[in-house]
């Protein structure tokens, strides 16, 4: 958005299989009663509910009180952007970002990193650069910031708002785009190398409507990245709604179609202008759309109180200026509490998670699979986790008895059916002790019975 906006060790078991008849990504024990906060309510279905935080408001007791009570994920509003973290070339500044990170971590909250590369809110020195000098500076920035926060970030918005509005469905003309069409891919590869444990997301606005050219352009990019092994794990939907840009009727379809590519989807900057029952109804629609998609892993609202919003006049958030809960808050809480604990409701996919191997010991690894299955096809995402020592390479064996692989990413496979050996590619073979990397494949038929096993190579 604009300057004024924001711009575990594995359980030692031979095999554990958790299958939800209707799409599940995380199993949690049923709640004894309805949760009373947004974060706790979201956790019942394995999701998060977060908010954007400004370091300058951390001295406001009402603001911090709501933050600590209600939310379990935090995004720095402006403090991790390029101009804030590298105000002078090669001289990095993390003070305000660290205030937010430390506040979140002391309260047991996770952090979304926003954002590593963006055409806007660049420091002045970067705005005057072009060509290979700009490309190298951007990649160094991504590497340095992601390395500094390695192990502390749940997911990074690696690239922000790189597609143009309008009917072209193409890239935005920017100084970064003019360094070459592969600049987004290069940024993602640099981020993966710098922080292998963080999820890597592409984030944009006006991509909520499946029929829009911009949405289709982003979809084609993600599809291409997945087919070629570019390390992308998630897509962020900013979802800023008002009367001129309402919640589209196909919003859930958009989320599901991206998820079907084998990426998580996250609602990253939600705000909905309005008031009363109308606003509450729209918040309910968006929340239930996320709950209906197995790989919609969480929702972040862009601010806490209406007066904290970048568009405060539209009163778009869940708390009023005095910190009181609005009708929209109640609608979101009720929707989150309505989700079947540990499951999500979707009529199109079944998700199975399988973990294999005992404690791998030094030099070993384990593998687990998350399977999204629908009539006639599937997407399998496999996580490789190093044991008590780092990996310099790995191989995963799967068994595909009733399906055929039609595409894969982040690994090389020995075939398309039966017993398939998957090996790392150049950027994800080195996995630190206890850390993980992911690869995946899509196919026709059934992906049931994959039973992945991992060996170090």
């Amino acid at each position: 958005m604009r300057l004024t906006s924001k711009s575990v060790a594995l359980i030692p078991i031979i095999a554990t299989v958790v299958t939800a008849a209707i799409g599940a990504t995380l199993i949690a024990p049923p709640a004894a009663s309805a949760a009373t906060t947004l974060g706790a309510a979201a956790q019942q279905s394995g999701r998060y509910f977060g908010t954007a935080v400004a370091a300058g408001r951390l001295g406001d007791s009402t603001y911090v009180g709501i933050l600590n009570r209600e939310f379990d994920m935090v995004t720095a509003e402006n403090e991790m952007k390029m101009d804030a973290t590298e105000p002078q070339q090669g001289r990095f500044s993390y003070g305000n970002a660290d205030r937010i990170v430390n506040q979140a971590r002391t309260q047991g909250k996770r952090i979304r990193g926003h954002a590593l590369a963006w055409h806007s809110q660049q420091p002045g020195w970067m705005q005057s650069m072009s060509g290979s000098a700009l490309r190298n500076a951007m990649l160094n920035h991504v590497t340095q910031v992601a390395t500094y926060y390695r192990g502390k970030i749940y997911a990074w918005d690696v690239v922000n708002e790189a597609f143009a509005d309008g009917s072209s469905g193409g890239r935005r003309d920017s100084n970064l785009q003019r360094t070459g069409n592969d600049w987004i891919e290069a940024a993602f590869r640099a981020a993966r190398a710098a922080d292998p444990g963080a999820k890597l997301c592409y984030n944009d606005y006006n991509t909520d409507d499946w029929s829009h050219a911009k949405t289709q352009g982003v979809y084609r990019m993600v599809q291409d990245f997945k087919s070629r092994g570019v390390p992308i794990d998630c897509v962020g939907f900013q979802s800023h709604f008002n009367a001129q840009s309402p919640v589209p009727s196909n919003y859930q379809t958009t989320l599901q179609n991206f998820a079907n590519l084998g990426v998580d989807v996250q609602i990253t900057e939600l705000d909905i202008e309005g008031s009363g029952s109308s606003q509450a109804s729209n918040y309910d629609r968006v929340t239930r759309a996320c709950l209906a998609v197995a790989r919609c892993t969480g929702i972040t609202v862009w601010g806490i109180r209406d007066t904290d919003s970048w568009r405060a006049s539209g009163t778009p958030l869940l708390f009023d200026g005095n910190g009181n809960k609005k009708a929209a808050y109640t609608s979101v809480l009720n929707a989150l509490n309505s989700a079947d604990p540990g499951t999500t409701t979707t009529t199109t996919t079944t998700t199975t998670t399988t973990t294999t191997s005992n404690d791998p010991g030094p030099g070993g690894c384990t593998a687990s699979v998350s399977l999204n299955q629908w009539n006639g096809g599937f997407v399998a995402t496999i996580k490789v986790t190093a044991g008590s020592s780092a990996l310099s390479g790995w191989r995963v064996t799967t068994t595909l008895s009733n399906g055929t692989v039609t595409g894969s990413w982040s690994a090389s496979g020995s075939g398309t059916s039966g017993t398939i050996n998957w090996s790392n590619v150049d950027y994800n073979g080195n996995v630190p002790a206890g850390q993980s990397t992911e690869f995946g494949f899509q196919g026709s038929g059934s992906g049931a019975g994959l039973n992945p096993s991992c060996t170090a190579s």
Side-chain angles (χ1 to χ4, degrees):
M1 294 301 297
R2 312 298 167 265
L3 177 61
T4 54
S5 66
K6 59 286 160 281
S7 213
V8 287
L10 290 168
I11 299 173
I13 51 177
I14 298 297
T16 300
V17 180
V18 180
T19 302
I22 307 178
T25 54
L26 180 66
I27 298 300
S33 59
T36 58
T37 66
L38 298 169
Q43 289 169 21
Q44 294 175 126
S45 64
R47 294 176 171 83
Y48 64 82
F49 202 96
T51 188
V53 172
R57 293 189 174 94
L58 291 178
D60 182 324
S61 60
T62 301
Y63 182 93
V64 173
I66 298 171
L67 168 63
N68 291 347
R69 182 186 74 235
E70 294 288 343
F71 302 100
D72 61 344
M73 184 74 73
V74 165
T75 304
E77 189 169 351
N78 288 291
E79 290 81 354
M80 285 189 181
K81 292 174 181 173
M82 303 179 82
D83 59 349
T85 52
E86 195 179 1
Q88 296 178 308
Q89 187 172 11
R91 298 183 63 179
F92 292 83
S93 177
Y94 300 108
N96 284 328
D98 282 349
R99 289 181 62 195
I100 294 172
V101 170
N102 294 337
Q103 166 72 21
R105 286 168 62 84
T106 59
Q107 293 292 320
K109 306 179 191 300
R110 294 181 293 171
I111 301 111
R112 293 192 80 261
H114 176 79
L116 291 173
W118 191 23
H119 71 278
S120 185
Q121 283 187 251
Q122 294 177 359
W125 63 265
M126 182 175 282
Q127 295 174 31
S128 64
M129 299 176 75
S130 62
S132 61
L134 175 60
R135 169 75 68 100
N136 292 335
M138 179 272 293
L139 292 176
N140 182 66
H141 180 89
V142 170
T143 298
Q144 296 300 323
V145 177
T147 298
Y148 179 84
Y149 285 110
R150 180 186 294 170
K152 296 181 179 180
I153 303 297
Y154 161 74
W156 274 109
D157 289 334
V158 178
V159 171
N160 198 46
E161 301 178 3
F163 277 74
D165 292 315
S167 60
S168 72
R171 300 282 186 89
R172 177 192 298 274
D173 179 35
S174 70
N175 61 348
L176 291 173
Q177 180 62 29
R178 290 191 292 274
T179 68
N181 202 52
D182 63 338
W183 77 272
I184 299 177
E185 175 178 343
F188 272 84
R189 294 194 184 278
R192 175 67 87 223
D195 190 357
K199 290 184 178 292
L200 307 182
C201 306
Y202 175 78
N203 190 57
D204 216 325
Y205 68 98
N206 283 351
T207 54
D208 312 288
D209 191 318
W210 180 244
S211 68
H212 284 180
K214 184 176 183 179
T215 308
Q216 295 297 310
V218 175
Y219 180 87
R220 287 191 297 271
M221 181 191 72
V222 177
Q223 188 176 44
D224 172 60
F225 280 12
K226 296 300 284 185
S227 71
R228 295 191 296 107
V230 180
I232 184 169
D233 306 305
C234 39
V235 176
F237 297 83
Q238 293 186 15
S239 298
H240 300 287
F241 298 125
N242 55 26
Q244 293 72 43
S245 180
V247 182
S249 60
N250 58 16
Y251 185 68
Q252 181 181 322
T253 298
T254 303
L255 299 180
Q256 185 66 66
N257 286 342
F258 275 89
N260 288 344
L261 291 177
V263 293
D264 291 344
V265 292
Q266 301 171 1
I267 301 171
T268 57
E269 306 183 14
L270 178 64
D271 49 27
I272 307 177
E273 292 187 355
S275 62
S277 60
S278 176
Q279 183 184 48
S281 176
N282 282 321
Y283 264 104
D284 176 83
R285 286 181 59 198
V286 171
T287 305
R288 291 183 188 276
C290 179
L291 294 173
V293 176
R295 295 196 68 152
C296 184
T297 54
I299 299 172
T300 294
V301 287
W302 204 252
I304 295 177
R305 304 164 299 195
D306 285 335
T307 47
D308 304 316
S309 172
W310 64 290
R311 48 183 191 173
S313 62
T315 61
L317 296 173
L318 303 180
F319 297 85
D320 67 20
N322 294 318
N324 299 308
K325 299 172 184 177
K326 298 165 59 178
Y329 171 94
T330 303
S331 71
V332 171
L333 184 65
N334 288 344
L336 293 172
N337 276 322
S338 72
D340 193 11
T343 66
T344 60
T345 303
T346 172
T347 59
T348 59
T349 65
T350 299
T351 301
T352 304
T353 303
T354 306
T355 302
T356 64
S357 182
N358 284 311
D359 180 0
C365 55
T366 58
S368 62
V369 57
S370 177
L371 179 66
N372 284 331
Q373 178 76 57
W374 59 92
N375 291 336
F378 65 91
V379 170
T381 303
I382 296 181
K383 178 182 287 188
V384 175
T385 302
S388 55
S389 59
L391 300 175
S392 58
W394 47 264
R395 187 176 73 173
V396 170
T397 301
T398 60
T399 302
L400 190 58
S401 301
N402 297 297
T404 302
V405 174
T406 58
S408 63
W409 54 93
S410 301
S412 299
S414 63
T416 59
S417 62
T419 299
I420 306 174
N421 293 315
W422 303 91
S423 56
N424 63 274
V425 291
D426 56 357
Y427 59 81
N428 65 358
N430 295 316
V431 184
Q435 298 297 304
S436 301
T437 189
E438 289 185 340
F439 72 94
F441 51 94
Q442 60 193 47
S444 58
S446 173
L450 287 169
N451 296 324
S453 62
C454 183
T455 57
S457 62

